Structures are given as C-alpha cells and as structure tokens.
Amino acid sequence: MRLNADFSEPVLIGPESHEWVPSPTAGVTRMMLDRIGDEVARATSLVRYAPNSTFPAHTHGGGEEILVLRGEFADDHGRYPTGTYLRNPIGTAHAPEVGSDGAEIFVKLHQFDREDRRQCAVSITDGAWLPGRPSSLAVMPLHRFGPERVSVQHWPAGSILAPRRFTGGAELLLLEGNLVTPLGELVPGAWLRLPPNARFEATSGAEGARVYLKTGHLASQVKRGSRDGD
C-alpha cells in the first residue's frame, strides 16, 4: 500500500475525512494518514482501541512513537493516561492493552533513526513549558535527535505565526482549539504534513491552539521517494 506517499507534497486531513478501518486485530481500528507497506509499514495513523481490547505482543523493527489522545493505553511496562508521549526504539517490544474506557492514540511506525535509542514516557499535561517564537507561544520539548525535533506547543488566542520554512519538513496534529492556514482550517484531530522548505503561516482562533509538532524528519524521505519514483 502507498497512501500519501509523495513526501514532496503537502497533505491536510481533517476529522470530517476520517475513515476508520478494522485492523487484523479484533477491537482495533485505524485511520491511516500516510503509509508505505502492508502490515509491516512506514506508517502514520490514528488508532482506536475498543474497551478491554488487546494487541498481540510484537517487536518494533523500525521504532514506534505514540501520543495518547484519549483513554488509557497500557502495556507490560506501564500504564499511560491521556496526554502521554511514548517512544519505543528499534528492537523494543511490548503487548498493548486498554481498559474499560478504550483508547485512541496517534502512532508513527518505522520512522526511527537506528542510532536513536531513547525510550521514554513523558506527560504533556505535567511537563514544563518554555517560551517559544514569538515569546507568547509556549513550547514543551519532547524529543530531539539529529535534525528531528518533537514538541507540543500552546498558541494563545489570535497568535500569528509569521511565514517560515521548515527546512526538514513538518507534521502538525491539532490537539485543541483551531488554526487557520493557507491550506485550510485545522480543528482538533486534523493532521497536516508539510514537505521540506514549504512555506507555512498560521493564526490561532478565539480559543487558541495546542499542537503536536514534529520537524526536521522528512528531507531524507523525499530523497528516498524520488528514487522510488514518487
């Protein structure tokens, strides 16, 4: 499968376009955002677990990055409530399960650098906020390795993010509020992927906005895609 596999093009998917499809595991459905491969794939998805569902034990051949959006996600290493950011590097393993409330997660698979071995579970509800650019923005850094940067950002109401370019590309998942961009309005659940060097600007709405932001990680994917004929 090749879904939104041309990383030289921007992609915006709002919740009104979400199509949830069953996974091979009962009680687990997913909304695929981008994907290269079949069941073993470089993939970015939203995944829903029905109440009291489980997922088979597995090893992460390409690493796994998770943000718990709703409910409590758990495995044999711990329990992770809403607002937990997880990184499981290449070679780690677990057996996911959820409780009676079910869960929804944002997950990225097979996108780790082999030298990136940091395993973590970080709460974005309890973490420390730092001033961003401009200083009215609040930033909670979650991870960095090489050119890759992952953070959660809070943009107050009416914040204007001046035009800028993310030289290594960017991904945004809107968690709260809304953002107006030249590509369209982002509401909670919307996912935006920008290719390297794409121009980006945004204005937050009356409730402000809280976003997951990942940058610097797509330049190599564009080069790889051009070799594959995308």
Side-chain angles (χ1 to χ4, degrees), residues 73-136:
F73 180 80
D75 60 19
D76 32 331
H77 305 295
R79 311 192 71 83
Y80 314 107
T82 300
T84 304
Y85 174 74
L86 304 168
R87 292 186 69 85
N88 294 313
I90 294 171
T92 57
H94 67 169
E97 60 181 33
V98 303
S100 58
D101 292 332
E104 182 175 332
I105 63 174
F106 173 70
V107 59
K108 298 178 69 63
L109 301 172
H110 283 265
Q111 298 176 44
F112 267 58
D113 188 296
R114 289 197 170 273
E115 300 303 315
D116 184 357
R117 300 187 178 95
R118 181 190 176 212
Q119 187 168 18
C120 68
V122 179
S123 171
I124 69 170
T125 58
D126 299 331
W129 294 95
L130 304 175
R133 292 185 301 165
S135 59
S136 59

Side-chain angles (χ1 to χ4, degrees), residues 112-223:
F112 267 58
D113 188 296
R114 289 197 170 273
E115 300 303 315
D116 184 357
R117 300 187 178 95
R118 181 190 176 212
Q119 187 168 18
C120 68
V122 179
S123 171
I124 69 170
T125 58
D126 299 331
W129 294 95
L130 304 175
R133 292 185 301 165
S135 59
S136 59
L137 273 61
V139 177
M140 185 184 300
L142 299 175
H143 182 71
R144 63 184 295 170
F145 184 85
E148 178 182 318
R149 302 288 186 272
V150 185
S151 66
V152 171
Q153 301 195 1
H154 176 72
W155 301 356
S159 296
I160 298 175
L161 186 66
R164 62 178 297 187
R165 295 185 187 276
F166 295 111
T167 56
E171 286 183 63
L172 295 85
L173 178 69
L174 192 68
L175 305 176
E176 299 175 17
N178 74 304
L179 285 177
V180 177
T181 79
L183 292 171
E185 182 177 5
L186 278 68
V187 297
W191 175 77
L192 173 64
R193 191 187 73 201
L194 297 168
N197 297 311
R199 186 174 184 270
F200 178 73
E201 57 186 299
T203 302
S204 58
E207 297 179 359
R210 186 164 293 190
V211 300
Y212 157 97
L213 176 65
K214 182 169 184 170
T215 65
H217 61 302
L218 295 176
S220 61
Q221 192 64 47
V222 170
K223 294 176 182 177

